[in-house]
């Protein structure tokens, strides 16, 4: 299967680590030119140097706080100025704090909205003029909570569903321009974020993170946490030229963990 990503311009958000980095790496290996971004300039420099050695694609970076509208505009402009028109947008963001309903004040809800939903909206708005020229791909990364709420993550449970509604609506609106929009939802993938959530749960339960992880694995039919590269492989297919007809869909990459149909 040919992915035909050579020379494509991809903006991958929150790509200095975790799932974003894994997707960026796969795209570079397939020959795409990738703009990395996060708030950590030093980390971005390290990742840029690491990924540049891996494939034919070029790698650049631009620090950005995606909760700030002006930063988003500058990021998209920098991507366009560096590599030309953007054909691929991978929306991604770190998860909001864990906790139950009574823990959070208005400011917490506003911040989670800005980070996990409004940032996606703003990035799509800025990239859209490029995508409308010849078509393109948008992936919105969410969470397995789009199918099954996760206890203790009410902020994520709320706004990840907003991402799903956004993706589904845009898939119809943008189809005439040959822009494909999909949602990809990770389950228990071995990232720093999942390790943090496991530790948070362990602290609340008075147990160890290793015990929490082992208990989680028992809920996954494949019996293990996923690897970031496994998630990235699927995401890369969706944004490649091999995908010409999948849009408006949501996909769980969770080893069979979520039981809902």
């Amino acid at each position: 299967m040919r992915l035909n990503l050579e020379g494509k311009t991809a903006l991958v958000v929150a790509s200095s680590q975790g799932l974003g980095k894994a997707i960026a790496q796969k795209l570079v290996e397939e020959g795409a030119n990738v703009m990395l971004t996060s708030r950590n300039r030093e980390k971005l420099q390290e990742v840029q140097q690491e990924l540049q050695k891996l494939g034919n694609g070029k790698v650049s970076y631009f620090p950005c706080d995606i909760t700030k509208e002006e930063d988003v505009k500058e990021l998209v402009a920098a991507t366009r100025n560096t590599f030309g028109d953007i054909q691929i947008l991978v929306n991604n963001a770190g998860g909001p704090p864990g906790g139950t309903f009574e823990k959070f004040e208005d400011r917490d809800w506003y911040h989670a909205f800005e980070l996990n939903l409004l940032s996606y909206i703003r990035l799509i708005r800025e990239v859209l003029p490029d995508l409308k020229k010849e078509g393109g791909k948008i992936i919105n990364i969410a969470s397995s909570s789009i199918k099954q709420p996760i206890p203790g993550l009410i902020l994520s449970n709320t706004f990840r569903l907003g991402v799903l509604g956004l993706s589904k609506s845009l898939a119809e609106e943008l189809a005439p321009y040959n822009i494909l929009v999909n949602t990809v939802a990770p389950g228990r993938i071995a990232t720093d974020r999942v390790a943090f959530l496991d530790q948070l749960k362990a602290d609340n339960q008075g147990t160890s993170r290793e015990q929490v992880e082992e208990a989680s694995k028992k809920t996954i039919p494949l019996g293990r946490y996923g690897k970031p590269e496994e998630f990235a492989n699927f995401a890369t297919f969706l944004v490649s030229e091999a995908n010409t007809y999948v849009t408006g869909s949501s996909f769980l990459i969770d080893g069979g963990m979520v039981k809902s149909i």
Side-chain angles (χ1 to χ4, degrees):
M1 181 184 298
R2 288 191 54 81
L3 301 182
N4 292 330
L5 285 166
E6 296 87 352
K8 300 289 186 181
T9 298
L11 171 55
V12 184
V13 184
S15 45
S16 64
Q17 61 183 4
L19 299 179
K21 178 185 175 184
I23 294 171
Q25 176 173 328
K26 186 64 177 176
L27 290 173
V28 172
E29 290 174 348
E30 293 294 333
N33 300 323
V34 176
M35 179 64 79
L36 307 169
T37 188
S38 75
R39 290 178 296 177
N40 189 325
R41 179 182 294 272
E42 291 74 22
K43 185 66 175 175
L44 287 170
Q45 287 179 323
E46 293 176 8
V47 174
Q48 188 268 343
Q49 293 171 3
E50 176 186 345
L51 299 191
Q52 190 60 80
K53 304 172 184 177
L54 299 180
N56 296 322
K58 299 176 182 178
V59 188
S60 188
Y61 68 88
F62 191 86
C64 174
D65 181 346
I66 58 172
T67 66
K68 297 179 179 179
E69 183 178 10
E70 193 57 38
D71 276 25
V72 168
K73 291 181 177 181
E74 291 175 359
L75 168 65
V76 173
T79 305
R80 190 178 291 124
N81 291 337
T82 303
F83 295 128
D85 288 345
I86 299 165
Q87 289 87 37
I88 298 166
L89 171 63
V90 179
N91 266 327
N92 185 28
T100 55
F101 180 78
E102 293 182 302
K103 176 181 178 180
F104 298 115
E105 304 292 337
D106 278 4
R107 63 178 180 274
D108 302 306
W109 287 95
Y110 279 121
H111 180 70
F113 166 65
E114 290 175 333
L115 177 65
N116 295 114
L117 183 55
L118 185 57
S119 67
Y120 286 26
I121 294 168
R122 286 170 169 165
L123 282 155
I124 293 169
R125 181 189 297 138
E126 292 301 314
V127 171
L128 194 54
D130 287 4
L131 299 180
K132 289 173 72 173
K133 292 178 181 179
E134 296 183 3
K137 310 289 173 56
I138 299 171
I139 284 183
N140 292 321
I141 297 179
S143 161
S144 62
S145 62
I146 64 172
K147 295 293 186 180
Q148 180 174 292
I150 301 171
L153 291 180
I154 192 168
L155 295 177
S156 180
N157 294 341
T158 301
F159 293 110
R160 302 298 193 184
L161 282 171
V163 169
L164 183 60
L166 173 68
S167 297
K168 193 69 174 178
S169 300
L170 285 176
E172 182 172 1
E173 289 188 20
L174 301 182
Y177 303 100
N178 196 32
I179 300 171
L180 279 56
V181 187
N182 291 290
T183 304
V184 186
R188 309 298 289 176
I189 309 294
T191 63
D192 291 342
R193 166 70 174 173
V194 169
F196 169 79
L197 292 175
D198 282 352
Q199 186 61 58
L200 183 66
K201 188 173 183 179
D203 293 341
N204 291 335
Q205 294 179 349
T207 186
S208 69
R209 182 169 67 84
E210 290 73 19
Q211 288 174 305
V212 168
E213 183 174 326
E214 287 306 309
S216 292
K217 289 178 180 177
K218 291 178 181 178
T219 70
I220 302 171
L222 290 182
R224 63 179 177 84
Y225 283 7
K227 301 174 183 178
E229 55 265 33
E230 292 176 309
F231 185 91
N233 285 339
F234 186 76
T236 301
F237 160 75
L238 283 179
V239 301
S240 77
E241 292 301 307
N243 172 28
T244 56
Y245 202 60
V246 179
T247 191
S249 294
S250 58
F251 301 93
L252 291 172
I253 315 299
D254 70 342
M257 179 184 70
V258 174
K259 304 303 186 289
S260 65
I261 296 174

